[in-house]
Amino acid sequence: MGLSDSLRCYGIREGKTGVGIAVMAGRIFAVYTQNRIRAAPVIFNLQNLGKRVKGIIVNSGNANAYTGEEGLRKARRMAEFLAERLNCDLSEIAIASTGVIGRQLDVDKIIRIGEKVLERLGGGEEHINAFARAIMTTDRFPKIAKRRFGGVEILGIAKGAGMIAPNMATMLAFIFTNARCDGMEEIFREAVEGSFNRVIVDGDTSTNDTVFMVASEEVEANPEEFREHLSSLMLELAEMMARDGEGATKVFWVRVSGARSDDDALRVARAVAGSNLVKTAVFGGDPNFGRIIAAIGYSGADVDERITLKLRGESGVAVLVEEGNVVEGSLELAERIMKESRIEVLIDLHRGSGEGYAIGCDLTHDYVELNSKYTT
Amino acid sequence: MGLSDSLRCYGIREGKTGVGIAVMAGRIFAVYTQNRIRAAPVIFNLQNLGKRVKGIIVNSGNANAYTGEEGLRKARRMAEFLAERLNCDLSEIAIASTGVIGRQLDVDKIIRIGEKVLERLGGGEEHINAFARAIMTTDRFPKIAKRRFGGVEILGIAKGAGMIAPNMATMLAFIFTNARCDGMEEIFREAVEGSFNRVIVDGDTSTNDTVFMVASEEVEANPEEFREHLSSLMLELAEMMARDGEGATKVFWVRVSGARSDDDALRVARAVAGSNLVKTAVFGGDPNFGRIIAAIGYSGADVDERITLKLRGESGVAVLVEEGNVVEGSLELAERIMKESRIEVLIDLHRGSGEGYAIGCDLTHDYVELNSKYTT
């Protein structure tokens, strides 16, 4: 009944190419990139994937994006390979890719590695870890999170990195659960919206972004409990992505309240979390509230000067601005908080009851280094 | 009749505080920041400035933004100081500030420096240069451009820097002309839209952004000629700002054609020029077309994969993608172009006849260095 009985996975990396395979029968839920240019694996899934799945195959090192008809054929070959080995229909295979855009996939190599992966599938920690590591690109650490309540288990494996930029970095996440509950589709979509879609700035979608959830539906779950645990698991993975944003040394949450609407709150949160000037200030440990105020101002939200702005960390809470008035004497505490590795920026707009949040990370020398070298 | 007869200016910097004063009688045209949080000098101008002006006073080092009632009083004092010395009405004085946000202005120091500036006003090159230098913040060079046709003269002085980020950097520009022509207001606004508003990404407005144009109206100008010269002068200043973006080593133009509409073309141009991943690739001299394609895809414009993408530089034109097909063999030339200091990215969307452009600069270690240290 547990996931360790129904999920078997593994992953192997050879040079820049990694292949991860997860085998589990269940209903599949998916959210894909909103980028108008969709990678071949996304197009393949949209055209072929049914409601139930038997297996997932993922490669890292090449996004198979912007690769035209040839890319689509190769995406299909990846899926056909796994469908044959699992002796299932092509509609029961989900695929994903991450890596460089605009280069044809070496699908023979992926299949070659895939064969080895299939020989070593298993349900243990080491198997989950191997899968998580195989799908990494510039990630510095594998991203795995778990929840367990009653007999329900949820396992999440993700890759992120590059999310620091308000643009393309591919994020992939794979959720596995033995749960069955009402409204699962909606719960899944809302959890994605409240987690992965909050890691930095709108438009932050690569050609490949994909979140899958496979549910074996063996154990009945209370929908509210399931929602709560799934959301918190996804948020944990999302924060890991921010922390592992390319070159990042710190993660910061922007929590906005008192907005005219939830949309406005989200606009403000994303503008602040996505501002290069705020990100560099966080890197420098500089409580530069002027940059935060400016970002609030250009967010597009309905705001005025009557803003309350606080920083919260392990050192305490520093009130930088109180209803539009700059608070003297809070700078020392603010500087201490800004040196911490997890910072919360609390913004009250005093305009209504709208709330929202976003998760950002700092912009560092390593980001520039990594992205000026990462090659086509 | 020439500008050297009617314009007298100068500027002095003492430590972090610079003061520039320009004295010239004429009609004034203004465009201000679209940021919802407006600096005190902007609010002052909006409330007090009339249609005709006698003088402009600008300070650098402190933006006088987010400084409440006290900031407004100090902005007024700056203006009153100059109005008294020029023996004119307060409505004939325009003011501007640039620098740190959220700190009260040392207006006494500004007036003290202003007194010295007034003693040295003049119409020569050295006076214009001194004004341009006094209003700089992190700018590495003064930004001055001139046009002359028939008896018409146009002089532009600007400060930029920090425009590399899709956010707050203050840009100030001061245009002086002896021209008189029909539709000047509209010509002025359109020229601003086609130049300063094209330097990186939407929302790119600080709390202080201001463009003034003073026209003494002594010489009749042909409106079309005036439009052409004013636009080209502003574009020259805008490109200087991009080139002097904080830490920037390169400037790149993104020219989009074949869009469904001009708005769509502008969306694409701004998404590409504003993408951190494109900016770092430009810094690294890496013709990473995948990042450009991804930015086009998430721009929000109506696009599909049938894109033509070229790079143009002094070395020639490299066709990276032709109607959706990646062109092999163009990489070597593309790499040579990417090493140049001025690069054009040419994008044809093959969807219609919409056109647009934006001007960007690279994202470098120096940007991170500068902005993680620049202090509150």
Side-chain angles (χ1 to χ4, degrees), chain B residues 18 30 60 127 176 192 213-214 218 236 246 258 262 285 364:
Chain B
S60 61
H127 302 96
F176 303 95
V192 170
M213 180 171 77
V214 183
E218 294 162 291
E236 187 182 334
E246 286 170 351
D262 288 352
T364 70

Side-chain angles (χ1 to χ4, degrees), chain B residues 256-267:
Chain B
V256 179
S257 62
R260 283 261 196 210
S261 64
D262 288 352
D263 278 354
D264 257 15
L266 193 53
R267 264 185 211 112

Side-chain angles (χ1 to χ4, degrees), chain A residues 35-36 66 167-168 203 275-277 280 286-288 291 294 297-298 302 305 365 367 369 371-372 374 376, chain B residues 35-36 38 66 167-168 203 275-277 280 286-288 291 294 297-298 302 305 365 367 369 371-372 374 376:
Chain A
N35 197 307
R36 295 291 292 255
Y66 213 65
N167 28 40
M168 68 161 252
S275 155
N276 276 359
L277 288 173
T280 45
D286 176 16
N288 193 322
R291 296 182 181 177
Y298 71 64
D302 182 7
E305 300 214 348
H365 286 299
Y367 175 84
E369 189 63 18
N371 282 303
S372 59
Y374 189 82
T376 36
Chain B
N35 197 307
R36 295 291 292 253
R38 280 168 160 158
Y66 212 64
N167 28 40
M168 67 161 253
S275 155
N276 276 0
L277 288 173
T280 45
D286 176 15
N288 193 321
R291 295 181 181 177
Y298 71 65
D302 182 8
E305 300 214 349
H365 285 300
Y367 175 84
E369 189 64 19
N371 282 302
S372 59
Y374 189 81
T376 34

Side-chain angles (χ1 to χ4, degrees), chain A residues 8-185:
Chain A
R8 288 151 61 234
C9 65
Y10 199 67
I12 294 174
R13 172 184 299 278
E14 289 184 6
K16 282 193 174 175
T17 306
V19 176
I21 295 178
V23 177
M24 179 168 147
R27 272 181 79 189
I28 185 157
F29 305 86
V31 169
Y32 303 107
T33 180
Q34 289 160 42
N35 197 307
R36 295 291 292 255
I37 311 282
R38 281 166 159 160
V42 175
I43 298 170
F44 175 83
N45 291 326
L46 285 166
Q47 292 176 346
N48 296 275
L49 186 58
K51 298 231 179 260
R52 298 193 62 82
V53 79
K54 288 276 170 60
I56 299 174
I57 178 165
V58 192
N59 77 279
S60 62
N62 187 322
N64 195 6
Y66 213 65
T67 46
E69 288 300 319
E70 189 181 342
L72 265 179
R73 279 194 300 275
K74 287 178 168 176
R76 173 178 284 266
R77 272 201 60 205
M78 261 174 84
E80 283 169 348
F81 156 71
L82 190 59
E84 279 166 28
R85 294 304 183 278
L86 298 185
N87 201 14
C88 68
D89 196 83
L90 196 61
S91 70
E92 294 173 304
I93 300 297
I95 64 175
S97 300
T98 176
V100 170
I101 294 177
R103 216 179 262 173
Q104 290 299 335
L105 201 64
D106 184 349
V107 69
D108 293 330
K109 185 174 182 186
I110 287 167
I111 290 174
R112 213 160 52 233
I113 301 173
E115 298 280 16
K116 295 184 210 168
V117 172
L118 284 173
E119 287 167 15
R120 302 178 65 175
L121 292 178
E125 290 296 320
E126 70 275 25
H127 303 96
I128 293 168
N129 244 298
F131 180 92
R133 287 190 174 277
I135 64 172
M136 285 162 52
T137 51
T138 53
D139 304 62
R140 287 171 296 187
F141 54 86
K143 293 162 191 69
I144 300 167
K146 289 176 187 174
R147 293 294 182 276
R148 193 188 281 266
F149 59 101
V152 173
E153 288 176 50
I154 314 176
L155 165 69
I157 307 170
K159 73 143 309 250
M163 303 300 294
I164 194 174
N167 28 40
M168 68 161 252
T170 288
M171 67 135 288
L172 300 178
F174 307 92
I175 316 289
F176 304 95
T177 181
N178 59 354
R180 171 184 65 238
C181 75
D182 288 340
M184 214 172 212
E185 174 84 33

Side-chain angles (χ1 to χ4, degrees), chain B residues 86-138:
Chain B
L86 299 184
N87 202 14
C88 70
D89 196 85
L90 196 61
S91 70
E92 294 174 305
I93 300 296
I95 64 175
S97 300
T98 176
V100 170
I101 293 178
R103 216 180 262 173
Q104 289 300 335
L105 202 64
D106 183 350
V107 70
D108 292 331
K109 185 174 182 187
I110 288 167
I111 290 173
R112 213 160 51 234
I113 301 173
E115 297 280 15
K116 295 184 210 169
V117 172
L118 284 173
E119 285 168 17
R120 304 178 65 175
L121 293 177
E125 291 296 321
E126 69 275 25
H127 302 96
I128 293 168
N129 245 298
F131 179 91
R133 288 189 173 278
I135 64 172
M136 285 162 50
T137 52
T138 53

